[in-house]
Amino acid sequence: MTTSKVPAQKYEIREVGQESLYAYAKIPIAFMVMSILRVKAMEGGLGGLKLVEEKVKAYEKDYDQLELESAGPLAWPKQFDLSTWGFLMAFDRQRPIGGATIAVKTPSLHMLEGRHELAILWDIRVHPKRRGKGIGELLFKHSLEWARGRGCRQMKIETQNINVGACRFYARMGCELGAIHRKAYHSSPELAREAMLLWYIDL
């Protein structure tokens, strides 16, 4: 994603309810992997971890299609109580072109660490034909405001080392990489070769 050259007022960001998850789910999240951030352990890890970008044979990744309990927006209500969550959608006139979901105050969501002042950017997506127009930035900024309005002081975002574009986007938005977990997905065959990257931004 890049800084928008299109006037922000062209797009409208609205908070929606759980009843809009079906429309939300129709916005594709798939992306092309052209390179990855390879995690290299220096001195077996004692010297720290280094991220090195490496080109790979291009392939498509679609996290909505994974065989996981929480894969895809329509699966979220089956696993979590979404009553405290925020759902934002971006519209061009009345057409949905993007979305963001923020999770707060959900005891069963271990990523929240039991912290009431922490928010999770659970999902952010922009239709492939609308990427690179600043819509992701609008959704991200509205997500921060939504979390601040509910007393949160920090936002946490999970991504993977295969999503280089997302990593650069979060860094550009002011987030800092707080943790690298190389073995986080070891039990999932579909994700086992990926590393978890956790980003944080103070609100």
Side-chain angles (χ1 to χ4, degrees):
M1 299 180 185
T2 58
T3 302
S4 175
K5 295 181 180 180
V6 180
Q9 60 266 27
K10 179 177 179 179
Y11 307 114
E12 181 184 3
I13 308 296
R14 300 182 208 155
E15 183 172 1
V16 299
Q18 294 184 45
E19 69 279 358
S20 295
L21 281 178
Y22 183 76
Y24 186 113
K26 286 187 172 182
I27 302 166
I29 199 172
F31 62 96
M32 293 301 299
V33 179
M34 312 291 285
S35 63
I36 66 171
L37 296 172
R38 183 81 64 191
V39 183
K40 294 190 175 182
M42 315 301 289
E43 299 179 20
L46 291 177
L49 300 175
K50 185 177 181 180
L51 294 173
V52 179
E53 185 172 358
E54 296 180 0
K55 297 291 185 181
V56 296
K57 183 178 180 180
Y59 65 94
E60 185 179 69
K61 188 72 177 189
D62 188 347
Y63 286 105
D64 279 355
Q65 301 303 316
L66 297 181
E67 294 183 6
L68 301 174
E69 289 184 358
S70 59
L74 299 182
W76 303 340
K78 301 173 185 177
Q79 190 175 9
F80 302 107
D81 175 3
L82 307 183
S83 60
T84 59
W85 292 28
F87 304 98
L88 306 176
M89 291 182 69
F91 294 86
D92 183 355
R93 298 177 178 86
Q94 297 301 315
R95 179 176 298 177
I97 56 173
T101 297
I102 312 99
V104 297
K105 299 175 182 177
T106 308
S108 61
L109 184 56
H110 68 87
M111 278 188 67
L112 284 168
E113 308 166 22
R115 294 170 52 190
H116 292 293
E117 85 290 354
L118 179 65
I120 302 293
L121 184 60
W122 182 255
D123 183 89
I124 186 168
R125 59 184 66 206
V126 175
H127 193 286
K129 293 182 179 179
R130 301 302 188 100
R131 292 173 188 170
K133 299 182 183 298
I135 300 165
E137 182 175 344
L138 285 174
L139 285 164
F140 185 82
K141 289 179 177 178
H142 276 74
S143 298
L144 297 184
E145 289 302 317
W146 188 95
R148 285 192 193 101
R150 283 146 186 85
C152 295
R153 298 201 300 271
Q154 190 176 63
M155 180 173 279
K156 178 180 178 182
I157 307 121
E158 174 185 350
T159 190
Q160 294 73 36
N161 65 322
I162 67 164
N163 198 344
V164 178
C167 292
R168 297 197 185 286
F169 171 75
Y170 293 130
R172 192 167 67 251
M173 291 297 100
C175 302
E176 291 188 352
L177 183 59
I180 300 172
H181 193 339
R182 293 182 294 162
K183 309 297 183 181
Y185 310 118
H186 187 71
S187 62
S188 172
E190 296 175 287
L191 301 174
R193 295 184 179 182
E194 299 176 16
M196 177 192 290
L197 305 181
L198 294 177
W199 299 82
Y200 294 83
I201 185 169
D202 292 333
L203 304 178

